[in-house]
Amino acid sequence: MEPEPKRFRLVDPNRLRIFMERTGSGCSITVRALAAAAEVPHGTITHLLAGGVKTQPAEVAYAIADTIGVDHLTLWAPVGRSVPAEDDLPPHIAAAS
């Protein structure tokens, strides 16, 4: 069994924005509320939404997904051989976003 990847790349900032507008509970969540619940600086969420930051450690990726009530793989792709940390996403990942 492979170990959990250490970093995840946000597949699409717009997807995060959409899930923030309607979380798994049916309510919306603000940047600051999401940041507080995920225990990250609010700038982290702001930069993810703006596309300035693309990756996060696994624990942050899981915390964000858990807070908004979605499976983490709907927002995040594990960084590795087929998903680069900062370059353009490969076509098979980009097509899914």
Side-chain angles (χ1 to χ4, degrees):
M1 180 175 213
E2 293 184 25
E4 283 289 313
K6 295 187 191 276
R7 293 194 72 80
F8 283 84
R9 181 180 174 129
L10 185 64
V11 174
D12 182 3
N14 289 325
R15 188 175 298 174
L16 174 58
R17 187 174 287 105
I18 289 167
F19 284 138
M20 287 174 64
E21 290 172 4
R22 185 169 174 88
T23 66
S25 67
C27 299
S28 64
I29 190 167
T30 65
V31 168
R32 287 185 182 268
L34 176 56
E39 299 181 352
V40 298
H42 67 88
T44 299
I45 306 300
T46 300
H47 291 302
L48 284 167
L49 290 168
V53 172
K54 295 178 172 68
T55 66
Q56 288 296 306
E59 59 273 6
V60 173
Y62 280 100
I64 290 170
D66 289 345
T67 298
I68 59 177
V70 298
D71 182 82
H72 73 280
L73 291 177
T74 61
L75 285 174
W76 304 94
V79 171
R81 200 171 93 191
S82 64
V83 179
E86 297 298 329
D87 300 330
D88 291 332
L89 289 174
H92 68 283
I93 299 292
S97 57

